[in-house]
Amino acid sequence: MKIVMLGAPGAGKGTQAEMIAEKYGIPHISTGDIFRANIKNGTELGKKAKSYMDAGNLVPDELTVDLVIDRVAQPDCEKGYILDGFPRTIPQAEVFTEQLAKNNEKIDFAIDVEVPDENIIGRMGGRRACLNCGATYHIQYIPPKKEGICDVCGSELVLRNDDKPETVKNRLNVYHEATQPLIDFYKAQGALREVDGTQDMKDVFAAIVKILED
Ligand code: ADP
Ligand code: AMP
């Protein structure tokens, strides 16, 4: 089962992807998490990606696509995978689709988590991220058991640089311009499914499971 999560930044893609990955035993691949890990480890890729990310812009396609193509070729992806934050541009989606087609493969489900822009700013301002293991919380809606500490690995939780309100506005503009067209791209492939992302996270998850199992 190969799944792509679509939706605005802060729509809940990562939260749902993590739950789907656990239920179906497939890897959750977040390009944002991969870039953040590279920044933390001071790699060349991290150095190149950081300025784009901090400004809320997209990392160039040439730094992104090969990384994902290599990742999905790993043995743990044999049964499928869930992509979160990739593709984010039509060229990324085109190259990736062509690469899959070489092996007679395709994306089975592109799940668009729909949340209006008005709700996004509050979600991002309250998001707290663990830069060690990638877990995500919300101070109001999905709080950790102990304030400021990751339930999974015990590391400190942070407000991401790019979750500050002025950057969030730019990320939403970038989303509407560069990423939203992917909805039509996957609709044309017959893979698009839509869910209402404003519901409680458990209800969003139930809606996604229904789609995957229908
Ligand atoms: P994305 O991966 O799409 O950027 P996240 O999964 O990180 O989004 O979610 C953004 C923020 O909203 C996080 O703080 C997360 O805990 C919170 N969140 C996710 N799903 C819901 C939901 N259904 N209701 C309320 N808050 C949510
Ligand atoms: P995310 O964790 O998905 O919110 O991504 C955080 C940031 O990483 C984005 O704002 C981009 O700067 C960068 N990024 C993640 N995935 C991609 C991608 N597929 N293409 C370009 N930039 C990306």
Side-chain angles (χ1 to χ4, degrees):
M1 187 156 55
K2 298 183 184 62
I3 305 170
V4 162
M5 299 300 289
L6 296 176
K13 301 183 295 296
T15 302
Q16 295 300 328
E18 198 51 45
M19 294 161 79
I20 297 164
E22 199 185 323
K23 182 171 168 73
Y24 295 101
I26 53 176
H28 165 202
I29 301 170
S30 155
T31 39
D33 283 351
I34 295 173
F35 288 134
R36 280 184 289 277
N38 274 276
I39 292 173
K40 192 166 168 250
N41 295 329
T43 68
E44 277 310 305
L45 176 64
K47 282 179 199 149
K48 286 183 189 152
K50 187 175 185 327
S51 58
Y52 298 101
M53 291 175 71
D54 283 350
N57 293 323
L58 295 181
V59 175
D61 290 343
E62 56 273 23
L63 295 181
T64 308
V65 179
D66 289 347
L67 181 144
V68 178
I69 289 174
D70 288 349
R71 178 64 189 85
V72 300
Q74 300 299 312
D76 65 332
C77 290
E78 251 168 40
K79 269 175 39 194
Y81 45 80
I82 175 154
L83 293 173
D84 159 21
F86 179 91
R88 249 182 165 98
T89 65
I90 292 283
Q92 288 180 11
E94 284 173 345
V95 176
F96 192 64
T97 301
E98 279 165 28
Q99 180 66 27
L100 289 177
K102 283 183 196 160
N103 303 323
N104 280 323
E105 293 174 356
K106 63 176 177 50
I107 292 299
D108 302 299
F109 299 100
I111 298 176
D112 181 29
V113 183
E114 296 180 311
V115 176
D117 286 8
E118 306 85 86
N119 303 28
I120 294 287
I121 308 264
R123 285 220 185 161
M124 308 279 256
R127 172 156 65 183
R128 294 294 178 274
C130 175
L131 296 184
N132 184 47
C133 75
T136 298
Y137 304 85
H138 190 282
I139 49 174
Q140 189 183 349
Y141 308 123
I142 307 168
K145 292 195 182 84
K146 193 166 170 221
E147 196 184 320
I149 302 293
C150 178
D151 291 351
V152 181
C153 72
S155 300
E156 197 184 337
L157 300 176
V158 296
L159 173 67
R160 277 167 43 179
N161 273 345
D162 57 348
D163 279 350
K164 310 221 161 98
E166 52 297 358
T167 315
V168 170
K169 277 200 194 123
N170 185 42
R171 293 173 69 196
L172 278 171
N173 289 338
V174 169
Y175 167 73
H176 289 302
E177 203 170 300
T179 308
Q180 209 170 15
L182 293 176
I183 293 175
D184 282 341
F185 182 91
Y186 283 109
K187 195 187 267 178
Q189 290 191 8
L192 184 74
R193 305 287 187 280
E194 288 162 318
V195 294
D196 174 4
T198 63
Q199 310 170 86
D200 183 273
M201 67 182 251
K202 292 194 185 65
D203 295 328
V204 181
F205 183 58
I208 294 175
V209 169
K210 189 164 184 299
I211 287 168
L212 300 179
E213 296 187 357
D214 252 2

